[in-house]
């Protein structure tokens, strides 16, 4: 039976609601970004995010239902991101979802935001040419402003998804944002650096950037050293202009992309996986897409990149993951609580070092 689910996402700085079927069909997908609100601060301010979610969410939910041509009574359940994310921001979505589920007498289902990202490749948006989605198992690189990790995905269930390696420090998107900030390029930095990098030549940049973790076995990554090297270069020589700025962006981007591509494909090979799926906002990066596709092709690995709307934070992926959970009878109670950390088991510890227990 096909289930139709209303999804709600407020874990960070996007207020989003969507209606999606368990076969992946997206009936509506409404996303309101707070990026302009946080831009003056150069990053997301948790309290500001939570307040704005509270103001915006009721209208966003209404629009998602309207665009799907459905009333709340018509959906089979309400899915909500309950982890990981900013506690106050998550609470707004969670309490709203509880109210809607209780009021309409519908099942409530909690979704781990990372599971949503890992399944976003299965969304089918209207007007898109139908590309066959990957079959399980596959390797997935989830790369955003908050997360950077490689997973083995054996099935659509959380307990069949396994982290193979993650960043020990900054997320890749965070590194893009910090480098853009110190180059005076504004926030969020990824798209601007990407644009400039396209006109630059990495090898012409007057700086040699480190390749952290490249020589190590294992799939952990590190991006803060690359960012610090750019910072030291700027401290010593000032912010470059014109072509030199583009060259520096190209050098930074290629250092980050090399690490992402190298570790992801090494992980896929070690696991015997011939499919790689990208997800998260940094998957929009043209350098990453091009290099991943090129290197993977040489190794007989197929790369799947979702459309941009499925890469960046959205509620469609939450509704979809929720619809599958609901289909398995995994509804939550009204006592569902938010959590700042993912429920996916992690093998990488921030700052490095082995975990005390598995
Ligand atoms: O997934 P997302 O929308 O939000 C979360 O972080 O959860 O990702 C946003 C991040 C930001 O750090 C932004 O700078 C980065 O994705 N980003 C990019 C590009 N577009 C967005 N990074 C590199 N190249 C891009 N084209
Ligand atoms: Zn995200």
């Amino acid at each position: 039976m096909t289930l139709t689910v209303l999804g709600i996402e407020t874990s960070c700085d996007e207020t989003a609601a969507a209606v999606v079927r368990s076969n992946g069909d997206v009936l509506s997908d409404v996303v309101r970004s707070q990026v302009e609100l946080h831009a003056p601060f150069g990053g997301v301010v948790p309290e500001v995010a939570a307040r704005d979610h509270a103001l915006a969410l009721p209208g966003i939910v209404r629009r998602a239902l309207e665009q799907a041509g459905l009333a709340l009574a018509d959906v089979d359940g309400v899915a909500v991101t309950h982890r990981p994310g900013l506690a106050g921001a998550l609470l707004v979505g969670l309490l709203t979802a509880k109210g809607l589920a209780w009021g309409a007498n519908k099942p409530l289902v909690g979704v781990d935001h990372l599971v949503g990202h890992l399944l976003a490749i299965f969304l089918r948006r209207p007007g898109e040419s139908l590309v066959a989605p990957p079959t399980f198992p596959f390797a997935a690189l989830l790369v955003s402003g908050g997360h950077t990790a490689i997973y083995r995905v054996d099935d659509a269930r959380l307990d069949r998804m396994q982290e193979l390696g993650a960043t020990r420090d900054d997320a890749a998107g965070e590194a893009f944002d910090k480098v853009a900030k110190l180059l005076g390029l504004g926030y969020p930095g990824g798209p601007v650096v990407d644009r400039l990098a396209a006109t630059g030549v990495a090898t012409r940049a007057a700086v040699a950037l480190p390749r952290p973790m490249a020589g190590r076995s294992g799939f952990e990554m590190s991006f803060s050293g690359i960012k610090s090297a750019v910072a030291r270069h700027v401290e010593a020589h000032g912010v470059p202009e014109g072509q030199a700025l583009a060259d520096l962006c190209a050098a930074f981007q290629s250092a980050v992309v090399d690490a992402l591509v190298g570790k992801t494909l090494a992980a896929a090979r070690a696991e015997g996986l011939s499919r790689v799926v990208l997800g998260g906002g940094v998957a929009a990066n043209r350098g990453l897409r091009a290099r991943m596709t090129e290197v993977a092709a040489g190794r007989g690995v197929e790369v799947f990149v979702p459309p941009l709307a499925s890469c960046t934070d959205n509620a469609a992926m939450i509704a979809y993951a929720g619809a599958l959970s609901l289909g398995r009878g995994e509804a939550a109670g009204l006592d569902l609580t938010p959590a700042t950390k993912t429920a996916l088991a992690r093998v990488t510890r921030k700052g490095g070092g082995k975990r005390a227990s598995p």
Side-chain angles (χ1 to χ4, degrees):
M1 187 181 69
T2 309
L3 299 175
T4 304
V5 167
L6 168 69
I8 291 176
E9 156 65 42
T10 62
S11 66
C12 191
D13 60 343
E14 263 91 29
T15 314
V19 180
V20 176
R21 293 217 164 102
S22 51
N23 63 5
D25 283 345
V26 178
L27 304 188
S28 67
D29 179 22
V30 184
V31 182
R32 178 180 186 273
S33 170
Q34 299 178 347
V35 72
E36 281 171 19
L37 210 57
H38 300 290
F41 306 101
V44 179
V45 183
E47 174 69 19
V48 173
R51 282 169 186 248
D52 197 61
H53 285 312
L55 285 174
L57 188 56
I60 298 288
V61 169
R62 213 171 293 125
R63 268 174 52 201
L65 286 167
E66 265 169 28
Q67 286 180 15
L70 296 175
L72 184 58
D74 300 325
V75 303
D76 298 304
V78 180
V80 62
T81 304
H82 72 119
R83 67 194 303 174
L86 304 168
L90 287 167
L91 260 180
V92 175
L94 186 55
L95 294 180
T96 304
K98 283 182 184 181
L100 292 170
W102 184 77
N105 197 22
K106 301 287 178 185
L108 173 74
V109 54
V111 174
D112 191 294
H113 180 83
L114 302 188
V115 171
H117 272 302
L118 293 176
L119 298 178
I121 189 72
F122 297 108
L123 293 173
R124 302 195 304 204
R125 296 171 179 277
E128 256 165 28
S129 55
L130 270 186
V131 182
T135 49
F136 296 110
F138 55 79
L141 170 66
L142 176 51
V143 62
S144 74
H147 311 281
T148 296
I150 302 161
Y151 297 89
R152 179 188 171 98
V153 181
D154 280 291
D155 203 345
R157 313 154 44 126
L158 188 144
D159 61 357
R160 304 292 311 280
M161 299 172 174
Q162 184 193 343
E163 185 196 290
L164 301 174
T167 179
R168 287 185 167 191
D169 39 58
D170 290 353
E174 193 180 350
F176 269 97
D177 293 338
K178 287 177 177 170
V179 161
K181 192 174 179 179
L182 60 95
L183 295 176
L185 298 174
Y187 172 85
V192 197
V193 173
D194 188 4
R195 217 165 32 245
L196 283 168
T199 64
V201 180
T203 49
R204 225 166 37 201
V207 57
L209 298 176
R211 293 290 194 271
M213 320 297 285
R216 301 199 193 193
S217 59
F219 314 117
E220 294 187 356
M221 295 164 278
S222 165
F223 299 101
S224 76
I226 306 175
K227 167 205 69 192
S228 302
V230 175
R232 282 195 301 274
H233 178 76
V234 168
E235 260 166 44
H237 306 283
V239 175
E241 287 175 11
Q243 189 59 45
L245 177 61
D247 292 343
L248 182 58
C249 287
F252 165 74
Q253 180 166 299
S254 106
V256 173
V257 165
D258 275 0
L260 294 170
V261 172
K263 291 295 180 186
T264 303
L265 292 177
R269 175 181 283 173
E271 293 287 320
L273 301 169
S274 59
R275 289 170 290 275
V276 166
V277 173
L278 301 188
V282 183
N285 187 269
R286 283 173 290 172
L288 173 62
R289 288 174 178 234
R291 183 126 186 90
M292 185 70 90
T293 308
E294 178 196 325
V295 182
R299 299 191 190 177
V301 170
E302 202 179 349
V303 179
F304 297 79
V305 189
L308 193 56
S310 297
C311 284
T312 52
D313 282 352
N314 65 84
M317 66 186 191
I318 303 304
Y320 176 67
L324 298 188
S325 293
L326 215 52
R328 296 191 296 262
E330 297 169 359
L334 286 179
D335 56 354
L336 183 67
T337 48
T340 55
K341 300 227 161 20
T342 176
L344 287 169
R346 280 174 297 172
V347 297
T348 304
R349 220 159 74 163
K350 281 246 173 179
K354 282 258 171 281
R355 291 183 80 79
S357 55

